[in-house]
Amino acid sequence: MKDVGLDKELTKLSKQFIAQIEKQRKMIEQKIEAIINEDSELKQQAKLIRSVPGVGKVLSWVMIAKTEGFTKITDPRKMACYSGVVPFEHQSGTSVYRKPRVSIFADKSTKAVLHLGAMSAIRLNNDLRVYYQRKVNEGKNKMLVLNNVRNKIIHRIFAVIKNQELYKNPLVLS
């Protein structure tokens, strides 16, 4: 078969396309940071949220945006339900029972970012990692425990916002 040289051209175009997307991503991130830094309250919230293990800039942005600066959603339980990390039981009468599952109506993008935060948190040296390892060693399903870590991250984010104090890792204090 004759080599047309199309693969080299497609590779070159793909690299240019990826570089353009990367440039746009950086520009969007800079704009988000600029918006947060202009408002002192949002800047303080972002600082507090990022003190929680596993929470980085993207998760802090998502939490601030979804809660509208913690004014629209003020209860961590409601945020956990919205994010799809709370399992609901399904029961009909006395005979039909299925194991609890998370809602299919959850905000999947928030759940995905929380999942990445939870994965990061269990890699760091903190109480969430200790919790994760203890529950897995007890024989619990890893995804169930990871879902619990997501829920704990949400509750910790709301706690630092409510108390207006940076998160203190209990493992570092001991």
Side-chain angles (χ1 to χ4, degrees):
M1 212 163 155
K2 187 175 177 186
D3 183 22
V4 187
L6 205 59
D7 57 340
K8 291 179 185 175
E9 188 67 29
L10 289 174
T11 303
K12 181 181 172 189
L13 287 173
S14 295
K15 286 181 180 179
Q16 290 173 350
F17 186 64
I18 290 169
Q20 187 65 28
I21 290 173
E22 188 65 25
K23 184 178 172 185
Q24 289 175 352
R25 183 190 60 82
K26 287 179 182 176
M27 189 175 67
I28 291 169
E29 284 184 1
Q30 288 172 349
K31 285 183 180 180
I32 292 171
E33 279 296 324
I35 291 169
I36 288 175
N37 289 332
E38 285 173 7
D39 186 339
S40 61
E41 187 177 347
L42 290 180
K43 187 176 180 178
Q44 177 66 12
Q45 286 177 347
K47 180 182 174 187
L48 291 170
I49 293 170
R50 290 179 190 171
S51 69
V52 176
V55 179
K57 61 183 181 181
V58 176
L59 182 52
S60 69
W61 297 338
V62 168
M63 291 300 286
I64 290 171
K66 296 294 181 178
T67 63
E68 293 181 15
F70 295 90
T71 57
K72 185 177 178 184
I73 301 175
T74 56
D75 183 29
R77 288 178 161 191
K78 288 181 181 176
M79 186 64 194
C81 287
Y82 173 80
S83 303
V85 298
V86 178
F88 291 99
E89 289 187 6
H90 178 81
Q91 189 171 348
S92 176
T94 57
S95 62
V96 179
Y97 178 78
R98 287 186 244 158
K99 78 179 198 180
R101 297 186 185 273
V102 294
S103 174
I104 60 168
F105 301 111
D107 184 352
K108 308 239 182 341
S109 62
T110 305
K111 186 176 181 179
V113 174
L114 277 166
H115 179 78
L116 295 174
M119 293 295 290
S120 176
I122 63 173
R123 288 188 188 106
L124 302 170
N125 185 24
N126 60 57
D127 53 335
L128 291 174
R129 177 186 177 134
V130 171
Y131 170 81
Y132 177 81
Q133 290 175 337
R134 184 180 77 237
K135 289 295 181 181
V136 169
N137 289 339
E138 288 174 6
K140 300 285 184 185
N141 181 307
K142 288 182 179 181
M143 282 307 292
L144 178 132
V145 180
L146 199 59
N147 195 54
N148 293 348
V149 171
R150 285 185 232 155
N151 196 3
K152 286 179 177 292
I153 288 174
I154 291 172
H155 279 76
R156 288 176 184 175
I157 288 172
F158 276 81
V160 296
I161 294 296
K162 179 184 172 194
N163 298 332
Q164 289 295 302
E165 289 183 13
L166 293 174
Y167 180 79
K168 296 176 185 80
N169 188 350
L171 294 182
V172 175
L173 298 175
S174 358

